[in-house]
Amino acid sequence: MKSPDAMDWSSYYPIFVEKESDPKYGEIKGPKKVPKMTKRVEVADIGCGYGGLLFALAPKMPESLILGIFIHYYSNIYSREKEGNNRLLFILHFRYSNILLQGLEIRISVAEFVHEKIKALRHNQADPSHPTHLQPTSSNDSPEETTPLSSDASSPKPSISSSSTVVPGGYQNIACLRANTMKFLPNFFHRHQLRAIFLCFPDPHFKARKHKARIVSATLNAEYAYVLRPGGKVYTITDVEDLHEWMVERFEAHPSFERVGREEEEGEGGGEGGEGAKDEWVEVMRRETEEGKKVERNGGKKFVAVFRRLEDPPWPSKGEDRRAEKEEAGGE
């Protein structure tokens, strides 16, 4: 996919497809035949885990399309082994391939679970009298066929609610996909398309040599600034203080972002209603993610930081450019 215009969102948000552009209703214009959508994605949860935040935000933002993204990138072992330039890496890949494949399988299983859960919730909303086969007997259970195997008994257990209560939007406004956001974020979203980005409990990558894999950096912050509209916000939360300080330092160093006041980070101000309105997304982010619930059960601390996207400075006119060049030449 070379550009956001080539992305086909019709299978992710089917009820938001324009009828005249849907293959079912006629021919689609353009060489790639991509159906046209009535809305664009406005909220992205990068590293969405079991989708707790997605399901909590869906009824609160029924008019906004929300996308959960599973961070997926290829291991250096795979790429370098294919080149055939390093025999040691090939041996390591051969000996530990089961471990690598198990990690990849768990990620795929989680993505499949969230996708199936969205389908089940949509089905329940469309016909509450016929619960889907994915509903467990207890709200604390999860479907065996979609739950990844894990030896960690303390891992958050995803669940599908058996409630038939109709919620605004009917969960038609949420979807998930697997993508390498560290490389291809601008390939999915247009400039200034998003109004909110959530980075909830990202992988801390404790080792110094792994810091380049963190999802907050000078390079990635520039991409977040590109897809986020002025006035939009980046919401971050983690239970690792070192990672929290890392993210704050990098966002504050970027000219396109400023950290909001403490009252907004505590959920007491800002938000969709402007100054003085409650920012409910902070409280949702604190309490509705599976990792957030796990930290709360264990009595841990949650470190929150919210950053607002600033307006881009105006481009200087040709006269100002020439004047600046003359001043620089004169100074030399």
Side-chain angles (χ1 to χ4, degrees), residues 265-331:
E265 291 184 352
E266 297 299 327
E268 300 173 357
E272 297 297 311
E275 297 297 329
K278 185 177 180 180
D279 191 344
E280 59 179 320
W281 316 140
V282 174
E283 192 63 20
V284 172
M285 178 178 65
R286 283 177 178 273
R287 300 191 179 276
E288 297 298 335
T289 63
E290 286 78 14
E291 280 297 324
K293 294 175 182 177
K294 179 181 175 181
V295 172
E296 202 163 306
R297 288 196 304 270
N298 296 336
K301 291 183 179 181
K302 303 175 190 176
F303 303 95
V304 175
V306 183
F307 304 90
R308 182 180 291 109
R309 172 69 160 89
L310 301 175
E311 292 280 352
D312 293 324
W315 285 96
S317 63
K318 291 183 179 181
E320 291 176 345
D321 284 340
R322 291 171 183 169
R323 195 179 307 115
E325 290 176 0
K326 289 180 181 180
E327 289 177 355
E328 289 179 3

Side-chain angles (χ1 to χ4, degrees), residues 38-51:
T38 59
K39 290 180 178 290
R40 286 181 174 179
V41 176
E42 289 189 313
V43 180
D45 179 11
I46 299 177
C48 61
Y50 287 100

